[in-house]
Amino acid sequence: MYDEYIEKQLVEISKWEQQKPSVVNTGMNKIFSPMSKFTRKVIPEVVVEKAIYHAHDIGQKLASKNDILKNAGVDTIEELRHKDLALSDKLTSNVHKWAIGFAGSEGFATGLGGTATMVADVGAVIVLAFRTIHKIAMCYGYEVKSAEDKEFVLNILSVSGANDMKEKKEALLALKSDFLQKKIIEEVLMSNLVKKVAKQLGINLTKRKLMQIMPIIGAGIGAAVNASYINDIAWTARRSYQLKWLADNEYIDANNLNNI
């Protein structure tokens, strides 16, 4: 039996699933296509792919759980998995706001350097993306310990980095399949998922950062771009872990997630 709060969140999750990727992802191709090739040379996919491998571990190490335990009044993160969705959402809001603020500050600082600091900025923002996902996971009672958990995190990146509705639907389908059963994640499959996410992020971040290389306004654009990107990441993580929490607490059927 749903209470009013859970019913409202299910409606919001459904709206989010049907929402098209942000206009930054989908609407800048024609405007900046002459510059895209240049920027992809500055931020090639192989750079993004390497950044993903390193950034996950760094982001996880930076994601302290002490503040979450204190604010939630619990002894372990696992307690939040079956406690109260409204509490988890409140904890997540604090993580979300902090991440946006930090992303904006970091983007402003690196934006001052134009193309010279763009690659470093991409690495830093991907680390922040992983940290944000790990912190949000903790708010709902989850810690990333297994290959399956890491796959879920990468699928969150894939959903948030989708450049059109087709990509988003495919990524959502992959993410929801993680609820159904534990499976052995082969190294080659994980590598292919990383390559897929790297390609998406390469396109996504390239489009977002095209204006950052313009003189004078680069710092302001860098701040806005990073804040926007982390906001998308945070909302995707929030909705994804809400779904996971609801399925684990049997408020929804994990075998019928496409009908939410």
Side-chain angles (χ1 to χ4, degrees), residues 1-216:
M1 189 74 178
Y2 302 157
D3 62 26
E4 185 177 345
Y5 185 82
I6 288 178
E7 189 72 49
K8 181 180 178 181
Q9 295 311 305
L10 285 168
V11 171
E12 293 302 317
I13 290 169
S14 180
K15 288 180 180 177
W16 166 75
E17 288 188 354
Q18 297 169 39
Q19 187 178 14
K20 293 180 180 179
S22 70
V23 68
V24 179
N25 291 17
T26 59
M28 294 176 67
N29 288 329
K30 292 183 180 179
I31 299 173
F32 293 109
S33 57
M35 300 167 64
S36 296
K37 290 182 180 180
F38 165 73
T39 314
R40 278 195 291 271
K41 289 181 180 179
V42 179
I43 316 173
E45 285 174 19
V46 66
V47 171
V48 181
E49 187 177 334
K50 289 180 180 179
I52 288 172
Y53 277 111
H54 295 294
H56 177 272
D57 293 339
I58 296 172
Q60 187 171 25
K61 289 177 182 177
L62 292 175
S64 170
K65 58 186 174 184
N66 295 334
D67 58 326
I68 295 173
L69 293 173
K70 180 180 179 181
N71 293 334
V74 296
D75 295 320
T76 66
I77 289 298
E78 287 75 14
E79 290 178 55
L80 291 168
R81 193 175 304 181
H82 303 290
K83 196 170 181 65
D84 179 54
L85 183 61
L87 171 62
S88 291
D89 287 344
K90 183 178 179 180
L91 295 168
T92 300
S93 291
N94 295 331
V95 173
H96 193 155
K97 291 174 184 176
W98 183 92
I100 290 176
F102 188 88
S105 299
E106 193 277 334
F108 184 88
T110 55
L112 292 170
T115 56
T117 55
M118 192 179 294
V119 174
D121 182 31
V122 167
V125 80
I126 293 176
V127 168
L128 179 58
F130 277 116
R131 180 191 184 277
T132 302
I133 295 172
H134 283 290
K135 292 282 286 189
I136 288 174
M138 291 177 190
C139 292
Y140 294 96
Y142 301 97
E143 294 184 81
V144 178
K145 297 179 179 180
S146 66
E148 290 81 6
D149 296 334
K150 186 174 180 179
E151 182 189 29
F152 191 77
V153 170
L154 288 172
N155 278 324
I156 288 173
L157 274 184
S158 184
V159 174
S160 65
N163 292 284
D164 53 48
M165 277 304 292
K166 182 176 181 292
E167 275 191 6
K168 182 174 181 178
K169 288 179 179 179
E170 289 175 351
L172 276 170
L173 192 63
L175 184 141
K176 289 179 178 181
S177 71
D178 291 338
F179 295 171
L180 299 179
Q181 60 183 4
K182 290 292 183 182
K183 52 187 180 294
I184 298 173
I185 307 300
E186 297 179 12
E187 188 174 339
V188 65
L189 294 178
M190 185 67 77
S191 177
N192 288 339
L193 179 55
V194 170
K195 289 180 184 295
K196 175 187 173 183
V197 172
K199 184 176 181 179
Q200 283 180 314
L201 291 186
I203 296 170
N204 190 294
L205 289 174
T206 293
K207 287 190 289 187
R208 288 173 184 260
K209 291 188 170 293
L210 282 171
M211 290 181 65
Q212 188 173 326
I213 64 176
M214 299 174 71
I216 302 174

